[in-house]
């Protein structure tokens, strides 16, 4: 369980970098990526490509999971429950369905820095048996490495002394323009020919749907996020893109390619997860002034669709989707979770 310290109070920040000028700053609360700064040709200062708040302690006031490590289970589990070997487990949530690990997920925990070097940081978190309703004593290690090839490599190793559903990801919010702006003019391409339709609660229906010819087709050719925005009934339910895409290729190939509005910053994403959630930042803006998030660059409130998220993961609600069991393995004492995400910048 989390300690009694206020979430994000007195955060400890560490920065890693490479010789090309790519730098990444990590906060121990949530093992959160505070900043990714990318050198851009013709610009005097490296460009910030992540959304963020002006003061790290303000992370506690935002509810968007900005750039945090998500666990014990990323995305949704329907009805706050699942079964393992006939035993029912009930999860602690403040909604009908569990989102991102429950009411107090890993994004709200202080991780311990256990190893560091000039270009790498490793954090650890211990989640006890029964934490948020999940079974088993679970230990997660998250390693961030800035490589010479201008990548941020994120590696997860999660071990548990019981069978447990687990999916760890990072909820990075990217705006490659480097300023508070809409991300709908970013150009993207996905190595994905299928996606999972969801119901009104964003729970997969179990159907696998082809993207070709639909608003979800980012595979046939690159296109802007806004080109077909809100041109599908699925987007009407989610106020935009907020859907799982099934990755077609293997981990040696990028599952997504993203470019800023003017093409000056390009990013490729890699993973060995079988799917990723593409989220167009539909709920970044809140009409409640107390929940509005002020951008660190211009002091103005972030609006909806001001960033894009590409969250590698297992299929959402996979405990209730046995037909896809071969793609969504459970963590066991003999088989830990071992997955990676890589964000590669084309400088």
């Amino acid at each position: 369980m989390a300690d009694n310290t206020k979430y994000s109070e007195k955060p400890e920040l560490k920065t890693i970098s490479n010789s090309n000028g790519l730098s990444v700053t990590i906060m121990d609360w949530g093992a959160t990526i505070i900043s990714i700064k990318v050198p851009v040709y013709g610009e005097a200062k490296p460009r910030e490509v992540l959304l963020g708040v002006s003061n790290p302690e303000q992370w506690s006031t935002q509810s968007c999971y900005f750039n945090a490590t998500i666990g014990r289970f990323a995305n949704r589990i329907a009805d706050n429950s699942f079964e393992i070997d006939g035993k029912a487990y009930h999860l602690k949530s403040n909604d009908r369905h569990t989102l991102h690990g429950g009411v107090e997920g890993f994004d709200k925990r202080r991780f311990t820095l256990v190893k560091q070097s000039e270009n790498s940081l490793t954090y650890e978190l211990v989640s006890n048996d029964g934490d948020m309703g999940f079974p088993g004593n679970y230990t997660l290690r998250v390693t961030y490495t800035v490589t010479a090839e201008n990548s941020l490599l994120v590696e997860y190793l999660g071990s548990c002394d019981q069978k447990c559903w687990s999916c760890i990801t990072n909820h990075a919010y990217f705006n490659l323009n480097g300023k508070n702006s809409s991300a709908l003019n970013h150009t993207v391409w996905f190595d994905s020919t299928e996606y999972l339709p969801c119901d009104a609660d964003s729970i997969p229906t179990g159907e696998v749907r082809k993207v070709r010819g639909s608003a979800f087709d980012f595979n046939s050719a690159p296109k802007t996020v806004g080109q077909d925005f809100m041109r599908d009934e699925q987007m009407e339910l989610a106020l935009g893109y907020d859907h799982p895409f099934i990755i077609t290729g293997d981990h040696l190939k990028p599952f997504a390619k993203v470019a800023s509005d003017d093409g000056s910053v390009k990013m490729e994403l890699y993973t060995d997860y079988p799917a990723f959630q593409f989220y167009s930042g539909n709920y970044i803006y809140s009409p409640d002034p107390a929940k509005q998030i002020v951008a660190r660059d211009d002091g103005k409130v972030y609006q909806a669709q001001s960033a894009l998220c590409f969250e590698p993961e297992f299929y959402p609600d996979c405990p209730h989707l046995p037909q896809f069991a071969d793609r969504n393995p459970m963590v066991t004492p003999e088989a830990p979770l071992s997955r990676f995400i890589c964000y590669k910048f084309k400088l």
Side-chain angles (χ1 to χ4, degrees), residues 57-271:
E57 292 191 5
Q58 293 175 331
W59 245 257
S60 62
T61 65
Q62 59 83 27
S63 58
C64 293
Y65 304 91
F66 266 10
N67 318 325
T69 298
I70 305 298
R72 202 183 285 195
F73 192 94
N75 216 310
R76 293 165 176 84
I77 296 178
D79 301 319
N80 298 319
S81 64
F82 56 76
E83 288 190 2
I84 298 177
D85 296 336
K87 182 178 179 179
Y89 294 90
H90 299 280
L91 307 178
K92 296 179 181 178
S93 171
N94 55 7
D95 206 343
R96 178 182 172 187
H97 308 297
T98 302
L99 175 64
H100 294 331
V103 67
E104 199 173 74
F106 288 3
D107 61 295
K108 297 177 178 64
R109 310 294 179 88
R110 187 189 290 273
F111 284 64
T112 300
L113 180 64
V114 294
K115 187 178 180 181
Q116 63 179 314
S117 67
E118 183 177 346
N119 72 323
S120 184
L121 299 165
T122 298
Y123 293 85
E124 183 175 276
L125 179 71
V126 176
S127 173
N128 295 328
D129 183 26
D131 184 8
M132 295 295 107
F134 288 92
N137 296 295
Y138 187 97
T139 300
L140 174 66
R141 283 205 167 195
V142 183
T143 298
Y144 294 101
T145 304
V146 174
T147 74
E149 292 75 32
N150 302 314
S151 297
L152 172 60
L153 174 63
V154 188
E155 298 170 287
Y156 302 117
L157 182 61
S159 59
C160 194
D161 59 6
Q162 296 183 40
K163 288 184 178 180
C164 178
W165 288 105
S166 178
C167 176
I168 310 296
T169 194
N170 190 279
H171 209 310
Y173 282 75
F174 287 99
N175 186 316
L176 302 186
N177 294 335
K179 59 183 179 181
N180 185 2
S181 62
S182 172
L184 290 180
N185 288 320
H186 279 35
T187 300
V188 301
W189 172 87
F190 295 158
D191 187 8
S192 175
T193 59
E194 298 174 317
Y195 79 103
L196 304 181
C198 298
D199 64 19
D201 292 333
S202 295
I203 303 295
T205 63
E207 177 190 357
V208 176
R209 191 174 293 179
K210 298 291 185 180
V211 303
R212 182 171 290 278
S214 76
F216 289 79
D217 189 357
F218 293 95
N219 178 258
S220 297
K223 68 178 181 181
T224 64
V225 177
Q227 178 174 316
D228 295 315
F229 197 71
M230 298 302 291
R231 295 182 181 176
D232 188 287
E233 62 180 8
Q234 276 287 304
M235 277 186 273
E236 293 177 7
L237 296 175
L239 301 183
Y241 294 104
D242 193 7
H243 296 79
F245 285 73
I246 298 172
I247 297 172
T248 303
D250 60 36
H251 67 277
L252 298 176
K253 301 176 182 178
F255 70 83
K257 298 180 180 180
V258 191
S260 60
D261 291 8
D262 63 2
S264 59
V265 173
K266 297 179 180 179
M267 177 177 66
E268 295 179 346
L269 297 96
Y270 300 76
T271 190

Side-chain angles (χ1 to χ4, degrees), residues 17-67:
S17 60
N18 68 9
S19 60
N20 299 324
L22 175 65
S23 67
V24 175
T25 300
I26 308 295
M27 176 173 70
D28 57 348
W29 279 106
T32 298
I33 310 173
I34 293 289
S35 168
I36 300 178
K37 292 183 178 178
V38 180
V40 180
Y41 179 77
E43 296 186 6
K45 296 181 179 179
R47 181 184 297 184
E48 178 62 69
V49 296
L50 287 183
L51 264 59
V53 297
S54 58
N55 185 326
E57 292 191 5
Q58 293 175 331
W59 245 257
S60 62
T61 65
Q62 59 83 27
S63 58
C64 293
Y65 304 91
F66 266 10
N67 318 325

